[in-house]
Amino acid sequence: MPTGSFGRDIYIPNSQIKNAANKDLVAVEITFWGDNSRKPEGKVIKILGSSTNSKNMIEALIFRENLSENFSSEVMQQTNAIIENSKIDYTNRKDLTNLSIITIDGADAKDLDDAVYVEKLENGNYKLIVAIADVSYYVNTVLDLEARNRGNSVYLVDRVLPMFPKEISNGICSLNEKEEKLTFSCEMEIDLKGKVVNYEVYKSVIKSVHRMTYKAVNGILDGDKDLINEYSDIYEMLKQMLKLSKILRAKHKRGSIDFELPELKVVLDKDEKVEKVYLKDRGEGEKIIEDFMIAANETVAERIYWLELASIYRTHEKPDREKIVKLNEILAKFGYKIPNFDNIHPKQFQEIIERSRDKETSMLVHKTILTSLKQARYTVKDIGHFGLASSHYTHFTSPIRRYADLMVHRVLFSTIDNSIKPFKEADLDEIAQHISKTERVAMKAEDESVRIKLVEYMQKRVGEKLTVMVTGFAPRKVFFETDEHIECSWDVTTSPNYYVFDEENYCMVDRESDTVFNLGDKVEAVLERADLLTLEISVMPLKDIF
């Protein structure tokens, strides 16, 4: 039985099973695609292990999506050669090693590709320096082709599948604390309205004074005296960073969409079992980095645009009118409305998000809006970023984990070094289409790896009573979310009662009683099943059990 969408079972003759046991996950090569009278046929080419083991499920996911943790010997040879021959060369670079530049990342991050510095100027404006790992200085030929093929790093629940070998991503290019590193910097002067009034881009050398975590920065900004004393040398700068961040955020909030959706985090124990599931809120530390990276990305995009160079942009198109009409019908259930379909602006969505922020159904409203929008992608046409309300936007700040940023570095370098030939738009278009696809694959794999662990986590809780919220409908299903924000569903055809999906009123109705399930309803349910093979978590609402 295929784990992905295939449509039909595949027949494997006994002679082609290769000692696979019942319920084993296997990779199969199709030898006959089937016809009207016969099923597709195939042969086992690899046994991945029991489908009841979540680790095997993740291995199968990696195999199915053609991802890999490993690199070829040729790639590793070039990596080792780069490391052996590397040295810090200050030629044609600004020396920023005397500045109190810091990195701010998650505690478990090892590929540190951005560092920041803020200074209040005498004229009242702010100087913001965003220094990014100069990966393009090191990477070429075989290593570059491998990175292009991968497109991006993939962050699964239990491992990272890096775009570059760890010796590059976590080592020579990572902006590690108190190590001299080559960087590409975007230095901006920003006024009190959040406008970039002057900027400069240049190659540089930095020496990060501290490897800060979001938790530590949030603690300092919340007034933790021990942390303030420990990092007294950067305390004043962090306060200036917060002020500048809020200025930039206020400017964006006047036009962009800020969902502020907490991230679902799954923590694994030493046996790679789920230890806890929680929502990770964005603190001020996270927002500072987000605001500064957006400022740098916009500034770089504008430079490339006005110089009329072929490049790769991060674009986000306006949503389809039909989707907004449908969204409006759903939002009406919560008392919200988008008034103008013909001149859609992100501010209209932001106003609803602000109004719903403190309500119990806020996350449901935010997710509903999010799913109505188009997905951002990479293009050579600069059509702007709808969600950020940016006329020009690109990805510049993460070249260790995104190939798009690496290419933007190369394009940007051609604007300050006349010896570099501009790129052809046709070549960049091919790259943009490819990395848009690899990004989709990565997002799907990351989500599925988390789902695998959540299903395993819920298996030991079968029979428990849960409080769940109605989050959506299909013709034969009601979708819920638990208090831990784990998605589950109920197949109404398993009920002894006769339920019909009322599309007009967007609810599930029992035709033989007055039982109705509406969006946002909280109900008690019994956890009936958690299936690793289908990744479905099934519940039965108690108000349907008579």
Side-chain angles (χ1 to χ4, degrees), residues 363-419:
M363 278 191 66
L364 178 55
V365 171
H366 296 191
K367 284 182 179 180
T368 304
I369 293 174
L370 182 62
T371 55
S372 73
L373 301 178
K374 290 188 176 182
Q375 287 187 303
R377 60 193 176 102
Y378 296 106
T379 63
V380 293
K381 300 298 180 187
D382 182 21
I383 56 177
H385 195 294
F386 177 79
L388 292 173
S390 299
S391 300
H392 314 286
Y393 199 71
T394 193
H395 273 167
F396 162 75
T397 55
S398 297
I400 290 177
R401 60 185 178 89
R402 292 189 305 228
Y403 192 77
D405 305 53
L406 182 57
M407 287 306 300
V408 169
H409 276 223
R410 288 169 173 154
V411 172
L412 189 62
F413 190 40
S414 74
T415 71
I416 58 178
D417 187 335
N418 294 329
S419 68

Side-chain angles (χ1 to χ4, degrees), residues 267-501:
V267 180
L268 305 181
D269 61 21
K270 58 183 176 57
D271 298 317
E272 296 190 348
K273 303 292 185 186
V274 175
E275 188 174 277
K276 67 174 178 176
V277 180
Y278 70 98
L279 287 180
K280 183 177 180 292
D281 286 311
R282 289 157 62 225
E284 292 296 348
E286 287 89 344
K287 291 175 185 177
I288 285 170
I289 292 300
E290 186 177 306
D291 294 329
F292 290 178
M293 297 307 114
I294 289 173
N297 287 335
E298 287 182 331
T299 301
V300 167
E302 284 202 26
R303 177 182 177 86
I304 292 169
Y305 173 78
W306 289 113
L307 289 172
E308 298 183 341
L309 289 172
S311 187
I312 293 175
Y313 293 93
R314 181 64 167 178
T315 58
H316 186 221
E317 295 159 285
K318 283 187 175 182
D320 294 328
R321 192 180 192 279
E322 297 74 24
K323 282 208 168 186
I324 300 306
V325 171
K326 183 67 178 175
L327 172 65
N328 228 18
E329 292 172 0
I330 297 172
L331 290 177
K333 310 301 177 191
F334 301 99
Y336 307 115
K337 183 182 179 182
I338 297 168
N340 189 346
F341 294 160
D342 297 314
N343 188 24
I344 294 293
H345 189 277
K347 189 176 181 180
Q348 295 168 280
F349 298 97
Q350 185 60 30
E351 288 172 351
I352 293 172
I353 287 167
E354 292 291 341
R355 286 167 56 198
S356 66
R357 195 176 302 281
D358 297 325
K359 297 183 179 178
E360 195 174 25
T361 55
S362 64
M363 278 191 66
L364 178 55
V365 171
H366 296 191
K367 284 182 179 180
T368 304
I369 293 174
L370 182 62
T371 55
S372 73
L373 301 178
K374 290 188 176 182
Q375 287 187 303
R377 60 193 176 102
Y378 296 106
T379 63
V380 293
K381 300 298 180 187
D382 182 21
I383 56 177
H385 195 294
F386 177 79
L388 292 173
S390 299
S391 300
H392 314 286
Y393 199 71
T394 193
H395 273 167
F396 162 75
T397 55
S398 297
I400 290 177
R401 60 185 178 89
R402 292 189 305 228
Y403 192 77
D405 305 53
L406 182 57
M407 287 306 300
V408 169
H409 276 223
R410 288 169 173 154
V411 172
L412 189 62
F413 190 40
S414 74
T415 71
I416 58 178
D417 187 335
N418 294 329
S419 68
I420 298 174
K421 290 182 180 179
F423 290 89
K424 294 179 181 177
E425 187 173 289
D427 294 337
L428 293 174
D429 185 44
E430 187 179 329
I431 292 170
Q433 291 187 49
H434 171 70
I435 59 181
S436 291
K437 289 176 184 174
T438 61
E439 181 186 38
R440 300 285 179 268
V441 170
M443 291 168 64
K444 177 185 173 186
E446 289 164 1
D447 290 345
E448 189 171 324
S449 73
V450 170
R451 183 67 177 178
I452 287 167
K453 287 296 182 182
L454 289 177
V455 170
E456 182 183 51
Y457 170 65
M458 296 299 275
Q459 280 182 329
K460 61 186 179 185
R461 300 177 60 186
V462 169
E464 278 189 27
K465 189 164 71 173
L466 308 170
T467 301
V468 296
M469 179 189 285
V470 178
T471 58
F473 304 97
R476 300 165 76 176
K477 278 192 174 182
V478 181
F479 297 97
F480 302 97
E481 203 173 77
T482 71
D483 285 344
E484 292 179 297
H485 301 279
I486 298 172
E487 293 177 358
C488 52
S489 63
W490 169 47
D491 183 345
V492 297
T493 63
T494 63
S495 170
N497 305 304
Y498 181 57
Y499 281 91
V500 175
F501 175 45

